[in-house]
Amino acid sequence: MATLAELRTSLLPAAAAADPIPTAAATREIAWVRVLRSRVPALDALEDGDVVIASAAVSGVVAGSAEDAGALADALAARAAALLVTGVDVEGRSASLVSAAEGRGVPILRLPDADAAALERSVIAWLVNRRAALEEQAAALERQLEVLALGGADLVTLVAAFGAFLGRAAVLEGRRGDALAVHAPAEMPAAAAAASRFLATGSGVALRVALPLPPPDPTRRPDLARYGEPALRGSLLLLGDGPIGDLERTATDRAAALMALELSRDAAVHRARDMARRSEALPADGPPWVVLVARQAGREDVEEAEQREAFRAELRMLAPNRRLTLRGDSESLEFRLVAVADADDPQGLAMAGRVAGFLRRSVAVSRPFADAGGRPAAEADARATLEAAERYASAPPVVRADRVAAYRLLGNLHNLPDGLGLAQALLEPLLRGRPALVSERLETLRVVLDRPGLAAAAAALGVHRNTIAYRVRRIELLGSWDLQDPELRLSLAVAIRIVQRAQLQHDPVTA
């Protein structure tokens, strides 16, 4: 016999429990399924271990009053294995029954998107033939994803539909392990926590299925073989601490195959455009737009043409074409992208941050432009900003064209007459001791000076706020400094940059 826990993990993973289900209730065997009817009696029969399905509308009819709800809840508590509440209860029609059942310890699962009759058929099919029912559920997901793909949905939308269907946080990974798309169902708080943990630490993966490679395209020219399939490698992930059920395994296998085909189609479209030497159109959601520029040459992991092409294919997946386009080809010396700068991100900094995180190097972002003819000037603007930032050893991940003068100024600090000597003299109290301790002091001081408060500094360094506060007190004692003094803060910030640049260039720094 099947248990409630098996039903939930195998067939109803997206169901939300009103309260944690006790172990005794989760392991109780299920006998059959009954549907609450809008008549008297509301249930034709109720045996021990039955699962009862109640739509929100019907619950309001047969158990709208506290007396009726209590009587029905007593019957459920005596015999039912669980109550499945379907539909969106906008008017609170099922509140009386749910409250009464909760008070009597009846396990309750909510399925707001389910239809009571369809759910009854699914549960019966699962009880009679589990494997066939699971295949039917997985096929339903596959059909849903196919409809979305044929309608032009991007990979982010497909991953969102996949995660919502299974009620888990889902991730599409690229071949390097980069998260190309992440979705956590909003109605599942645990899913959001699992997604945050994965993005921060890479942990919490419950299931990882490699994307299969589609069969080779017989129409492709042999001389294009170097632009091969590594771009399509990746994995589809489910996150969370709960066990993986048979439905999730089956559905993930099917979804991975479909997403691999979508990646193949997308790569073929872009490949055709590149081969035809067409310039990418500006993203349709603009104007305004911004140009993003980063270095392409010199990456150890993308030296070969095939690898560079694969890397560019994954970069395109960071956002839909209507919001981000990649220009050039794998032979370019730079990554050149055009992104939409909308009201939520008027400078394009959020998208630039995503690109910088993916590339793991600095990305320059131009000033916004609203006319298509302004793209070449914006591209030159971003390129000049990147060149200025490269002379500044501690440039942030995203460098802005409207701050190019600041990068040039900071990049020339090492040219100050006796700049290194003066910087070392100012920082001399911190330069004593073991190299690791000196480095910690300098980095702590720099982060504290660059952030608006200790909490922000602690977050940037990944330590507790009390740790930062202790370090700051030690630094102030060593230097006899008051870090609230604005002139001292400015001088220390400049001195740290000069000394750290000298250290990066292996110049001797004496204590």
Side-chain angles (χ1 to χ4, degrees), residues 59-80:
S59 298
V61 173
V62 301
S65 68
E67 182 180 356
D68 290 340
L72 183 54
D74 286 337
L76 295 176
R79 291 181 175 271

Side-chain angles (χ1 to χ4, degrees), residues 366-384:
S366 73
R367 295 174 177 85
F369 64 98
D371 184 84
R375 184 195 55 75
E379 214 168 81
D381 199 22
R383 188 175 294 110

